[in-house]
Amino acid sequence: MEIKTTRFGQVEIDETLIITVPEGILGFEDFTRYIILDHLDKESPFKWFQSIDDPSLAFVITDPLIFVPTYKAKVPKEEVSSIDLSDASKALIVVIVNIKRDHSEITVNLQGPIVINVEKKLAKQMVIRGSEYSVRHVIYSRKQEENLTTTPSTYKKEVKSQVL
Amino acid sequence: MLVLTRKLGESITIGDEIKVTIIEIKGKQVKVGVEAPQDTKVHREEVYQRIQEENRMAALISPIHLKKVGDFWKRIKKP
């Protein structure tokens, strides 16, 4: 089927890949159907979580493990009853990306991951309890990149400590 | 809003299945225990609000922003 999007114009999608978010994304509870679209090329770590119901609604998502290899979202059973997830291994966990308007910083929301039941194409934005993970975990900052040109080793160290 | 005063260790019940107990009072902080059925969502309000705000900000990102980010990412990955 073809869908309308404000960012990408008309997009042809495979209907069978539509993901239903019964409770919606927090703050956007009225919109429950999404599709994952590639960003430019398949190699990019970023994808778009595009609403089917609202052409202007889309989020950038990514695999948190690319940036935070130790990330572990505990998924309590009662939290995911609405997406029929009995087997955690069938879950795909993605996080929403935020970019500062001046492009100086990129963050990911580790406290509100989207848990996708891949088999049933159902998803939910979870809220992780406790303060272990931030809603604004920095995965890139221009400040650090500027350091990179002068002292590469310091930059790498900083990134590492942030990730772990 | 119904306002109730409770002492340490005392509880209030909401409906038949929800019980809120004051567990600890330390200066300006109060530790509250909530007993509720498994399917009842219990959250600190600020966490919910923070995630909603973050989502609203994230929904404003355009492909141009992301394109710039993508370039940054490539530069970091392959210095």
Side-chain angles (χ1 to χ4, degrees):
Chain A
M1 73 186 255
E2 211 167 63
I3 60 161
K4 270 187 200 154
T5 73
T6 53
R7 290 173 183 78
F8 319 106
Q10 298 269 359
V11 179
E12 179 64 34
I13 59 154
D14 179 351
E15 276 174 76
T16 62
L17 297 179
I18 291 175
I19 294 167
T20 303
V21 190
E23 294 159 63
I25 297 297
L26 289 170
F28 299 91
E29 283 81 358
D30 293 342
F31 309 106
T32 55
R33 293 185 307 154
Y34 289 85
I35 186 94
I36 295 177
L37 302 175
D38 282 329
H39 172 67
L40 298 174
D41 57 82
K42 285 194 169 143
E43 305 230 327
S44 168
F46 305 106
K47 309 240 178 252
W48 288 91
F49 199 57
Q50 169 72 51
S51 166
I52 306 275
D53 312 301
D54 178 351
S56 70
L57 181 60
F59 300 94
V60 179
I61 55 169
T62 193
D63 173 359
L65 295 177
I66 295 174
F67 302 97
V68 191
T70 54
Y71 182 64
K72 211 165 181 221
K74 280 183 197 142
V75 182
K77 263 193 191 145
E78 68 271 18
E79 282 263 6
V80 287
S81 56
S82 67
I83 59 166
D84 212 5
L85 193 68
S86 50
D87 183 357
S89 69
K90 284 178 185 139
L92 171 70
I93 292 176
V94 298
V95 291
I96 297 178
V97 176
N98 227 325
I99 304 166
K100 265 205 183 152
R101 292 303 163 265
D102 61 0
H103 308 115
S104 64
E105 206 171 79
I106 307 164
T107 60
V108 286
N109 183 350
L110 295 182
Q111 204 173 12
I114 300 172
V115 183
I116 303 169
N117 180 344
V118 178
E119 204 179 38
K120 302 206 165 160
K121 303 280 182 303
L122 289 167
K124 176 184 169 143
Q125 184 170 30
M126 257 186 60
V127 178
I128 306 262
R129 280 165 212 180
S131 50
E132 193 183 349
Y133 293 119
S134 162
V135 297
R136 215 170 277 167
H137 178 91
V138 179
I139 58 169
Y140 167 83
S141 99
R142 187 186 289 157
K143 236 174 158 181
Q144 286 182 341
E145 195 186 33
E146 277 161 9
N147 289 342
L148 180 67
T149 53
T150 49
T151 49
S153 57
T154 318
Y155 173 69
K156 274 182 187 150
K157 224 197 243 155
E158 274 178 42
V159 167
K160 203 175 174 206
S161 62
Q162 220 174 49
V163 164
L164 299 175
Chain B
M1 195 200 308
L2 171 68
V3 179
L4 301 165
T5 305
R6 298 278 73 191
K7 287 184 186 143
L8 188 66
E10 290 182 340
S11 304
I12 56 167
T13 54
I14 302 164
D16 297 329
E17 293 180 298
I18 298 172
K19 188 178 173 188
V20 180
T21 307
I22 307 303
I23 291 175
E24 189 185 292
I25 305 169
K26 220 191 216 165
K28 283 186 174 176
Q29 281 195 319
V30 180
K31 203 182 260 182
V32 177
V34 180
E35 292 166 65
Q38 284 231 320
D39 57 358
T40 305
K41 287 179 226 164
V42 181
H43 287 294
R44 289 176 301 169
E45 180 139 339
E46 70 262 35
V47 175
Y48 244 106
Q49 279 177 353
R50 245 185 293 146
I51 292 179
Q52 280 187 358
E53 271 167 38
E54 209 53 31
N55 287 346
R56 284 196 195 104
M57 296 275 291
L60 299 174
I61 294 173
S62 77
I64 298 158
H65 295 124
L66 186 54
K67 191 177 178 304
K68 295 213 172 190
V69 172
D71 295 344
F72 289 144
W73 167 247
K74 278 178 199 162
R75 282 212 299 282
I76 295 171
K77 245 198 151 178
K78 297 166 199 162

